[in-house]
Amino acid sequence: MSDLEVRQLRYFVAVAEELHFGRAAERLGMAQPPLSRAIRAMERQLGVTLMERTTRRVTLTPAGETLLRDARTALDAVAAAARRARNAGRPEPVLRLALKADYDGGLLPQIIAAYQQEPAALPVRLVLGGRAEQEPALRDGRADLALLMRPFDDRDLDVEPLLTEPRLLAVAANDPLAAHTGLRVADLAGRVLPDGSPADREDSVPPSGSSADREESAPPRGGPARNLDLAQIFNLIELGDIVWFVPESLARLHPRPGVAYRSVGDLPPLEFALAWPQESRSPAVAAFVRTACAVAALVEPQADAAQAALRRVV
């Protein structure tokens, strides 16, 4: 039996997702009869029935459901391989680092400066995205490595922890909470986070599975949720609409007269880590990981001292 081709998998996935040959053919930009023939040919090739067809509906068989799952994985792998090959074949290759802006534990400038001294170093291109978008960027080939926050899906990835950083409460400077020290998450009852979820639920879930993942989608003043940038989130905090949990390094970067930063004793910290595909054999990736670990080892004692000083202030 010959192996299935990428073209066949694309045809099958389109029909399996649409569960309608006409819509799948339109999606693929082809006529319906050749698509139907192609699926029949796949079934003969595999010796199994992939779809049950009637005049009214199309349903997947158990074999079809299995193939759909694996076909999606295979097509994603093919697309990722193509992206990596294009990057490697550029006249001037780059190292693509996925991260969320300002979520680097304050390490990124020092890491890049030190990395550029490495013999295997390549120019670093940042692949910026919202939180939880870094791991998919690794898998689909848009990034060579990622600086991201735990927990995340680390299957088939190599991971190196870098830094654990406390989070602070960002609250309006005139909010009664700003007058207190030694806050606990339970003290935040009645306050909401940028996505509208209760702030006093934060201690019951890990940081990267929490409302902080959706901080860009806020329901300002009772209105519908919308995407917000960092400046807009801070504006809403100053107005007293929301509170927010921010990494301590980000609080140091963004002092604002209308925002107070306060420690919350039982708020889970952020854990920063580097991740990259297990199959990577890139000397540039290896050099970046070594450099980042060395920088983090030097910076963490300084960060601890800065954190202690910031806590005395807040």
Side-chain angles (χ1 to χ4, degrees):
M1 181 180 67
S2 60
D3 293 334
L4 292 175
E5 299 176 1
V6 171
R7 172 185 55 82
Q8 292 175 293
L9 293 179
R10 290 198 178 104
Y11 287 178
F12 171 75
V13 168
V15 178
E17 289 180 345
E18 299 290 344
L19 292 177
H20 189 282
F21 277 86
R23 288 195 298 268
E26 184 177 354
R27 169 173 153 181
L28 292 165
M30 63 187 297
Q32 181 175 333
L35 177 59
S36 298
R37 290 195 294 271
I39 299 300
R40 292 286 187 194
M42 284 183 66
E43 292 177 319
R44 289 194 299 272
Q45 183 177 344
L46 294 173
V48 296
T49 299
L50 299 172
M51 299 175 181
E52 298 289 354
R53 308 156 177 86
T54 70
T55 56
R56 305 184 64 159
R57 60 184 298 191
V58 175
T59 58
L60 294 178
T61 65
E65 291 175 352
T66 298
L67 181 60
L68 175 59
R69 182 184 63 247
D70 292 342
R72 284 169 170 160
T73 300
L75 290 175
D76 287 346
V78 169
R83 290 189 184 101
R84 294 188 184 107
R86 281 194 291 269
N87 182 61
R90 293 173 56 171
E92 297 181 359
V94 296
L95 183 72
R96 299 162 302 164
L97 173 65
L99 76 159
K100 176 176 170 57
D102 286 328
Y103 276 67
D104 61 1
L107 298 175
L108 189 59
Q110 296 175 69
I111 291 173
I112 291 180
Y115 171 68
Q116 296 300 339
Q117 307 307 311
E118 291 283 326
L122 294 174
V124 176
R125 192 183 83 194
L126 302 183
V127 181
L128 298 176
R131 198 164 170 179
E133 293 181 9
Q134 288 70 49
E135 176 256 328
L138 286 177
R139 298 191 187 281
D140 67 17
R142 285 178 291 133
D144 302 300
L145 71 166
L147 178 58
L148 67 178
M149 292 146 283
R150 281 183 157 170
F152 56 88
D153 182 2
D154 60 2
R155 290 174 297 173
D156 303 320
L157 299 177
D158 282 328
V159 178
E160 190 67 43
L162 290 183
L163 183 71
T164 299
E165 182 178 30
R167 291 185 293 169
L168 298 176
L169 172 72
V171 63
N174 59 2
D175 190 298
L177 288 175
H180 294 273
T181 58
L183 290 169
R184 309 290 290 180
V185 171
D187 298 325
L188 310 182
R191 306 308 201 282
V192 296
L193 296 168
D195 74 328
S197 64
D200 59 339
R201 304 275 180 87
E202 185 67 10
D203 61 339
S204 64
V205 288
S208 289
S210 72
S211 57
D213 289 343
R214 304 176 299 279
E215 68 229 11
E216 296 91 347
S217 297
R221 295 193 177 274
R226 59 189 176 92
N227 291 330
L228 302 173
D229 60 26
L230 193 61
Q232 291 171 319
I233 291 175
F234 277 125
N235 286 337
L236 290 175
I237 294 170
E238 291 172 326
L239 291 171
D241 282 9
I242 61 171
V243 299
W244 191 29
F245 300 129
V246 301
E248 211 160 36
S249 57
L250 191 147
R252 293 194 299 269
L253 282 174
H254 297 278
R256 296 172 70 105
V259 175
Y261 296 106
R262 296 293 179 262
S263 296
V264 181
D266 52 348
L267 186 65
L270 286 178
E271 298 179 43
F272 292 96
L274 274 178
W276 62 98
Q278 285 181 347
E279 68 272 14
S280 174
R281 299 295 181 268
S282 166
V285 168
F288 191 96
V289 173
R290 287 195 306 269
T291 302
C293 291
V295 169
L298 291 173
V299 166
E300 189 150 22
Q302 302 170 26
D304 290 340
Q307 290 159 10
L310 187 56
R311 290 192 193 97
R312 288 195 294 271
V313 173
V314 301

mmCIF file of all heavy atoms in Angstrom, residues 82-119:
data_model
loop_
_atom_site.group_PDB
_atom_site.id
_atom_site.type_symbol
_atom_site.label_atom_id
_atom_site.label_comp_id
_atom_site.label_asym_id
_atom_site.label_seq_id
_atom_site.Cartn_x
_atom_site.Cartn_y
_atom_site.Cartn_z
ATOM 1 N N ALA A 82 7.947 23.537 6.316
ATOM 2 C CA ALA A 82 8.136 24.483 5.213
ATOM 3 C C ALA A 82 8.585 25.848 5.743
ATOM 4 O O ALA A 82 9.486 26.475 5.189
ATOM 5 C CB ALA A 82 6.843 24.623 4.416
ATOM 6 N N ARG A 83 7.965 26.295 6.845
ATOM 7 C CA ARG A 83 8.356 27.590 7.414
ATOM 8 C C ARG A 83 9.803 27.553 7.899
ATOM 9 O O ARG A 83 10.564 28.500 7.697
ATOM 10 C CB ARG A 83 7.417 27.957 8.561
ATOM 11 C CG ARG A 83 6.004 28.314 8.140
ATOM 12 C CD ARG A 83 5.212 28.880 9.304
ATOM 13 N NE ARG A 83 3.825 29.136 8.940
ATOM 14 C CZ ARG A 83 2.813 28.334 9.246
ATOM 15 N NH1 ARG A 83 3.033 27.206 9.930
ATOM 16 N NH2 ARG A 83 1.583 28.634 8.881
ATOM 17 N N ARG A 84 10.173 26.479 8.582
ATOM 18 C CA ARG A 84 11.552 26.381 9.087
ATOM 19 C C ARG A 84 12.548 26.325 7.934
ATOM 20 O O ARG A 84 13.630 26.913 8.000
ATOM 21 C CB ARG A 84 11.691 25.154 9.988
ATOM 22 C CG ARG A 84 10.873 25.245 11.266
ATOM 23 C CD ARG A 84 11.191 24.101 12.219
ATOM 24 N NE ARG A 84 10.333 24.158 13.382
ATOM 25 C CZ ARG A 84 9.321 23.336 13.639
ATOM 26 N NH1 ARG A 84 9.060 22.345 12.798
ATOM 27 N NH2 ARG A 84 8.582 23.471 14.717
ATOM 28 N N ALA A 85 12.194 25.588 6.889
ATOM 29 C CA ALA A 85 13.100 25.491 5.741
ATOM 30 C C ALA A 85 13.276 26.840 5.064
ATOM 31 O O ALA A 85 14.391 27.214 4.680
ATOM 32 C CB ALA A 85 12.557 24.459 4.743
ATOM 33 N N ARG A 86 12.159 27.591 4.923
ATOM 34 C CA ARG A 86 12.268 28.916 4.305
ATOM 35 C C ARG A 86 13.155 29.835 5.132
ATOM 36 O O ARG A 86 13.959 30.594 4.587
ATOM 37 C CB ARG A 86 10.871 29.523 4.123
ATOM 38 C CG ARG A 86 10.106 28.979 2.924
ATOM 39 C CD ARG A 86 8.901 29.843 2.607
ATOM 40 N NE ARG A 86 7.876 29.748 3.632
ATOM 41 C CZ ARG A 86 6.873 28.876 3.608
ATOM 42 N NH1 ARG A 86 6.775 28.012 2.605
ATOM 43 N NH2 ARG A 86 5.984 28.855 4.572
ATOM 44 N N ASN A 87 13.000 29.757 6.458
ATOM 45 C CA ASN A 87 13.839 30.613 7.301
ATOM 46 C C ASN A 87 15.306 30.211 7.197
ATOM 47 O O ASN A 87 16.189 31.063 7.092
ATOM 48 C CB ASN A 87 13.384 30.533 8.755
ATOM 49 C CG ASN A 87 14.182 31.444 9.661
ATOM 50 O OD1 ASN A 87 14.191 32.660 9.493
ATOM 51 N ND2 ASN A 87 14.888 30.859 10.626
ATOM 52 N N ALA A 88 15.579 28.889 7.239
ATOM 53 C CA ALA A 88 16.964 28.420 7.166
ATOM 54 C C ALA A 88 17.597 28.739 5.821
ATOM 55 O O ALA A 88 18.817 28.929 5.731
ATOM 56 C CB ALA A 88 17.016 26.914 7.426
ATOM 57 N N GLY A 89 16.780 28.796 4.768
ATOM 58 C CA GLY A 89 17.311 29.050 3.432
ATOM 59 C C GLY A 89 17.404 30.505 3.053
ATOM 60 O O GLY A 89 17.818 30.826 1.931
ATOM 61 N N ARG A 90 17.038 31.404 3.958
ATOM 62 C CA ARG A 90 17.146 32.830 3.653
ATOM 63 C C ARG A 90 18.617 33.221 3.485
ATOM 64 O O ARG A 90 19.499 32.634 4.124
ATOM 65 C CB ARG A 90 16.526 33.657 4.774
ATOM 66 C CG ARG A 90 15.044 33.487 4.902
ATOM 67 C CD ARG A 90 14.509 34.199 6.132
ATOM 68 N NE ARG A 90 14.862 35.619 6.147
ATOM 69 C CZ ARG A 90 14.370 36.487 7.013
ATOM 70 N NH1 ARG A 90 13.535 36.077 7.948
ATOM 71 N NH2 ARG A 90 14.719 37.754 6.971
ATOM 72 N N PRO A 91 18.906 34.206 2.645
ATOM 73 C CA PRO A 91 20.294 34.664 2.521
ATOM 74 C C PRO A 91 20.881 35.093 3.864
ATOM 75 O O PRO A 91 22.069 34.903 4.108
ATOM 76 C CB PRO A 91 20.188 35.849 1.547
ATOM 77 C CG PRO A 91 18.932 35.603 0.782
ATOM 78 C CD PRO A 91 18.005 34.916 1.726
ATOM 79 N N GLU A 92 20.034 35.653 4.723
ATOM 80 C CA GLU A 92 20.472 36.055 6.057
ATOM 81 C C GLU A 92 19.495 35.462 7.080
ATOM 82 O O GLU A 92 18.519 36.110 7.478
ATOM 83 C CB GLU A 92 20.515 37.578 6.184
ATOM 84 C CG GLU A 92 21.526 38.221 5.233
ATOM 85 C CD GLU A 92 21.560 39.730 5.389
ATOM 86 O OE1 GLU A 92 20.782 40.257 6.212
ATOM 87 O OE2 GLU A 92 22.361 40.370 4.696
ATOM 88 N N PRO A 93 19.725 34.233 7.523
ATOM 89 C CA PRO A 93 18.807 33.596 8.480
ATOM 90 C C PRO A 93 18.738 34.384 9.779
ATOM 91 O O PRO A 93 19.662 35.115 10.154
ATOM 92 C CB PRO A 93 19.442 32.216 8.717
ATOM 93 C CG PRO A 93 20.345 31.991 7.558
ATOM 94 C CD PRO A 93 20.830 33.348 7.152
ATOM 95 N N VAL A 94 17.602 34.223 10.473
ATOM 96 C CA VAL A 94 17.402 34.882 11.762
ATOM 97 C C VAL A 94 16.962 33.842 12.779
ATOM 98 O O VAL A 94 16.515 32.747 12.418
ATOM 99 C CB VAL A 94 16.350 36.009 11.673
ATOM 100 C CG1 VAL A 94 16.815 37.113 10.751
ATOM 101 C CG2 VAL A 94 14.994 35.454 11.244
ATOM 102 N N LEU A 95 17.103 34.187 14.031
ATOM 103 C CA LEU A 95 16.585 33.362 15.124
ATOM 104 C C LEU A 95 15.270 33.990 15.561
ATOM 105 O O LEU A 95 15.237 35.136 16.009
ATOM 106 C CB LEU A 95 17.575 33.328 16.285
ATOM 107 C CG LEU A 95 17.164 32.435 17.457
ATOM 108 C CD1 LEU A 95 17.278 30.974 17.078
ATOM 109 C CD2 LEU A 95 18.008 32.738 18.687
ATOM 110 N N ARG A 96 14.181 33.239 15.432
ATOM 111 C CA ARG A 96 12.856 33.782 15.706
ATOM 112 C C ARG A 96 12.442 33.403 17.132
ATOM 113 O O ARG A 96 12.276 32.220 17.440
ATOM 114 C CB ARG A 96 11.864 33.257 14.680
ATOM 115 C CG ARG A 96 12.212 33.642 13.242
ATOM 116 C CD ARG A 96 11.489 32.775 12.234
ATOM 117 N NE ARG A 96 11.813 31.379 12.433
ATOM 118 C CZ ARG A 96 11.118 30.376 11.911
ATOM 119 N NH1 ARG A 96 10.059 30.617 11.160
ATOM 120 N NH2 ARG A 96 11.467 29.116 12.139
ATOM 121 N N LEU A 97 12.273 34.415 17.963
ATOM 122 C CA LEU A 97 11.945 34.218 19.372
ATOM 123 C C LEU A 97 10.526 34.700 19.626
ATOM 124 O O LEU A 97 10.211 35.875 19.458
ATOM 125 C CB LEU A 97 12.922 35.002 20.254
ATOM 126 C CG LEU A 97 12.616 35.031 21.752
ATOM 127 C CD1 LEU A 97 12.730 33.636 22.364
ATOM 128 C CD2 LEU A 97 13.544 36.013 22.464
ATOM 129 N N ALA A 98 9.661 33.778 20.052
ATOM 130 C CA ALA A 98 8.274 34.122 20.353
ATOM 131 C C ALA A 98 8.144 34.532 21.812
ATOM 132 O O ALA A 98 8.701 33.882 22.701
ATOM 133 C CB ALA A 98 7.356 32.934 20.068
ATOM 134 N N LEU A 99 7.414 35.601 22.047
ATOM 135 C CA LEU A 99 7.167 36.045 23.418
ATOM 136 C C LEU A 99 6.028 37.047 23.422
ATOM 137 O O LEU A 99 5.612 37.548 22.377
ATOM 138 C CB LEU A 99 8.411 36.671 24.043
ATOM 139 C CG LEU A 99 8.797 38.098 23.623
ATOM 140 C CD1 LEU A 99 9.705 38.718 24.677
ATOM 141 C CD2 LEU A 99 9.486 38.103 22.270
ATOM 142 N N LYS A 100 5.527 37.319 24.625
ATOM 143 C CA LYS A 100 4.555 38.383 24.824
ATOM 144 C C LYS A 100 5.311 39.620 25.261
ATOM 145 O O LYS A 100 6.162 39.550 26.147
ATOM 146 C CB LYS A 100 3.531 37.980 25.887
ATOM 147 C CG LYS A 100 2.519 39.068 26.230
ATOM 148 C CD LYS A 100 1.497 38.551 27.214
ATOM 149 C CE LYS A 100 0.633 39.688 27.766
ATOM 150 N NZ LYS A 100 -0.052 40.425 26.689
ATOM 151 N N ALA A 101 5.027 40.743 24.644
ATOM 152 C CA ALA A 101 5.748 41.977 24.956
ATOM 153 C C ALA A 101 5.682 42.279 26.443
ATOM 154 O O ALA A 101 4.629 42.188 27.072
ATOM 155 C CB ALA A 101 5.157 43.147 24.157
ATOM 156 N N ASP A 102 6.838 42.617 27.006
ATOM 157 C CA ASP A 102 7.003 42.993 28.421
ATOM 158 C C ASP A 102 6.943 41.808 29.371
ATOM 159 O O ASP A 102 7.113 41.984 30.575
ATOM 160 C CB ASP A 102 5.973 44.048 28.863
ATOM 161 C CG ASP A 102 6.280 45.425 28.305
ATOM 162 O OD1 ASP A 102 7.473 45.729 28.123
ATOM 163 O OD2 ASP A 102 5.346 46.187 28.056
ATOM 164 N N TYR A 103 6.700 40.611 28.860
ATOM 165 C CA TYR A 103 6.673 39.427 29.721
ATOM 166 C C TYR A 103 7.967 38.638 29.510
ATOM 167 O O TYR A 103 7.985 37.562 28.927
ATOM 168 C CB TYR A 103 5.450 38.561 29.410
ATOM 169 C CG TYR A 103 4.196 39.019 30.127
ATOM 170 C CD1 TYR A 103 3.603 40.233 29.808
ATOM 171 C CD2 TYR A 103 3.617 38.248 31.124
ATOM 172 C CE1 TYR A 103 2.462 40.670 30.461
ATOM 173 C CE2 TYR A 103 2.466 38.663 31.781
ATOM 174 C CZ TYR A 103 1.899 39.878 31.446
ATOM 175 O OH TYR A 103 0.762 40.302 32.098
ATOM 176 N N ASP A 104 9.066 39.218 29.991
ATOM 177 C CA ASP A 104 10.362 38.563 29.841
ATOM 178 C C ASP A 104 11.144 38.553 31.147
ATOM 179 O O ASP A 104 12.334 38.243 31.158
ATOM 180 C CB ASP A 104 11.184 39.249 28.741
ATOM 181 C CG ASP A 104 11.478 40.721 29.056
ATOM 182 O OD1 ASP A 104 11.059 41.213 30.129
ATOM 183 O OD2 ASP A 104 12.125 41.383 28.230
ATOM 184 N N GLY A 105 10.496 38.912 32.250
ATOM 185 C CA GLY A 105 11.180 38.971 33.534
ATOM 186 C C GLY A 105 12.274 40.010 33.585
ATOM 187 O O GLY A 105 13.127 39.964 34.476
ATOM 188 N N GLY A 106 12.280 40.960 32.640
ATOM 189 C CA GLY A 106 13.331 41.964 32.588
ATOM 190 C C GLY A 106 14.647 41.433 32.050
ATOM 191 O O GLY A 106 15.675 42.119 32.113
ATOM 192 N N LEU A 107 14.624 40.218 31.489
ATOM 193 C CA LEU A 107 15.870 39.560 31.069
ATOM 194 C C LEU A 107 16.251 39.818 29.615
ATOM 195 O O LEU A 107 17.430 39.735 29.259
ATOM 196 C CB LEU A 107 15.749 38.042 31.267
ATOM 197 C CG LEU A 107 15.543 37.515 32.677
ATOM 198 C CD1 LEU A 107 15.319 35.999 32.634
ATOM 199 C CD2 LEU A 107 16.744 37.850 33.551
ATOM 200 N N LEU A 108 15.277 40.089 28.756
ATOM 201 C CA LEU A 108 15.527 40.017 27.316
ATOM 202 C C LEU A 108 16.653 40.921 26.828
ATOM 203 O O LEU A 108 17.512 40.464 26.057
ATOM 204 C CB LEU A 108 14.238 40.293 26.548
ATOM 205 C CG LEU A 108 14.307 40.041 25.042
ATOM 206 C CD1 LEU A 108 14.676 38.598 24.739
ATOM 207 C CD2 LEU A 108 12.978 40.396 24.388
ATOM 208 N N PRO A 109 16.706 42.194 27.203
ATOM 209 C CA PRO A 109 17.800 43.030 26.673
ATOM 210 C C PRO A 109 19.180 42.469 27.009
ATOM 211 O O PRO A 109 20.082 42.470 26.153
ATOM 212 C CB PRO A 109 17.561 44.383 27.349
ATOM 213 C CG PRO A 109 16.111 44.402 27.668
ATOM 214 C CD PRO A 109 15.774 42.986 28.029
ATOM 215 N N GLN A 110 19.355 41.981 28.236
ATOM 216 C CA GLN A 110 20.659 41.437 28.619
ATOM 217 C C GLN A 110 20.956 40.127 27.891
ATOM 218 O O GLN A 110 22.093 39.873 27.501
ATOM 219 C CB GLN A 110 20.687 41.219 30.127
ATOM 220 C CG GLN A 110 20.561 42.509 30.931
ATOM 221 C CD GLN A 110 20.478 42.243 32.413
ATOM 222 O OE1 GLN A 110 21.456 41.817 33.023
ATOM 223 N NE2 GLN A 110 19.314 42.484 32.993
ATOM 224 N N ILE A 111 19.920 39.305 27.715
ATOM 225 C CA ILE A 111 20.131 38.036 27.012
ATOM 226 C C ILE A 111 20.570 38.299 25.573
ATOM 227 O O ILE A 111 21.547 37.703 25.079
ATOM 228 C CB ILE A 111 18.847 37.184 27.034
ATOM 229 C CG1 ILE A 111 18.563 36.682 28.444
ATOM 230 C CG2 ILE A 111 18.986 35.993 26.087
ATOM 231 C CD1 ILE A 111 17.222 35.975 28.574
ATOM 232 N N ILE A 112 19.871 39.194 24.882
ATOM 233 C CA ILE A 112 20.208 39.452 23.477
ATOM 234 C C ILE A 112 21.594 40.065 23.359
ATOM 235 O O ILE A 112 22.386 39.686 22.473
ATOM 236 C CB ILE A 112 19.140 40.347 22.829
ATOM 237 C CG1 ILE A 112 17.827 39.565 22.698
ATOM 238 C CG2 ILE A 112 19.598 40.838 21.468
ATOM 239 C CD1 ILE A 112 16.698 40.352 22.077
ATOM 240 N N ALA A 113 21.931 40.980 24.259
ATOM 241 C CA ALA A 113 23.259 41.601 24.202
ATOM 242 C C ALA A 113 24.355 40.561 24.388
ATOM 243 O O ALA A 113 25.374 40.569 23.671
ATOM 244 C CB ALA A 113 23.372 42.684 25.268
ATOM 245 N N ALA A 114 24.173 39.654 25.345
ATOM 246 C CA ALA A 114 25.177 38.616 25.579
ATOM 247 C C ALA A 114 25.196 37.595 24.441
ATOM 248 O O ALA A 114 26.263 37.112 24.029
ATOM 249 C CB ALA A 114 24.896 37.917 26.915
ATOM 250 N N TYR A 115 24.021 37.276 23.918
ATOM 251 C CA TYR A 115 23.927 36.280 22.849
ATOM 252 C C TYR A 115 24.663 36.733 21.596
ATOM 253 O O TYR A 115 25.280 35.911 20.896
ATOM 254 C CB TYR A 115 22.449 36.019 22.545
ATOM 255 C CG TYR A 115 22.195 35.185 21.316
ATOM 256 C CD1 TYR A 115 22.545 33.839 21.279
ATOM 257 C CD2 TYR A 115 21.596 35.740 20.183
ATOM 258 C CE1 TYR A 115 22.304 33.068 20.148
ATOM 259 C CE2 TYR A 115 21.348 34.981 19.060
ATOM 260 C CZ TYR A 115 21.711 33.646 19.041
ATOM 261 O OH TYR A 115 21.479 32.892 17.923
ATOM 262 N N GLN A 116 24.612 38.005 21.293
ATOM 263 C CA GLN A 116 25.251 38.483 20.073
ATOM 264 C C GLN A 116 26.773 38.308 20.095
ATOM 265 O O GLN A 116 27.425 38.416 19.053
ATOM 266 C CB GLN A 116 24.901 39.958 19.833
ATOM 267 C CG GLN A 116 23.421 40.204 19.574
ATOM 268 C CD GLN A 116 22.889 39.460 18.356
ATOM 269 O OE1 GLN A 116 23.647 39.062 17.463
ATOM 270 N NE2 GLN A 116 21.580 39.248 18.316
ATOM 271 N N GLN A 117 27.323 38.018 21.255
ATOM 272 C CA GLN A 117 28.764 37.758 21.344
ATOM 273 C C GLN A 117 29.098 36.288 21.055
ATOM 274 O O GLN A 117 30.277 35.931 20.956
ATOM 275 C CB GLN A 117 29.270 38.126 22.749
ATOM 276 C CG GLN A 117 28.919 39.534 23.197
ATOM 277 C CD GLN A 117 29.355 40.581 22.196
ATOM 278 O OE1 GLN A 117 30.499 40.578 21.739
ATOM 279 N NE2 GLN A 117 28.446 41.495 21.858
ATOM 280 N N GLU A 118 28.074 35.445 20.939
ATOM 281 C CA GLU A 118 28.301 34.019 20.688
ATOM 282 C C GLU A 118 28.686 33.785 19.225
ATOM 283 O O GLU A 118 28.110 34.411 18.320
ATOM 284 C CB GLU A 118 27.038 33.221 21.007
ATOM 285 C CG GLU A 118 26.687 33.145 22.475
ATOM 286 C CD GLU A 118 27.579 32.155 23.194
ATOM 287 O OE1 GLU A 118 27.966 31.136 22.589
ATOM 288 O OE2 GLU A 118 27.908 32.413 24.372
ATOM 289 N N PRO A 119 29.639 32.870 18.963
ATOM 290 C CA PRO A 119 30.031 32.597 17.571
ATOM 291 C C PRO A 119 28.875 32.107 16.700
ATOM 292 O O PRO A 119 28.842 32.389 15.500
ATOM 293 C CB PRO A 119 31.107 31.513 17.717
ATOM 294 C CG PRO A 119 31.635 31.689 19.112
ATOM 295 C CD PRO A 119 30.485 32.153 19.938
#
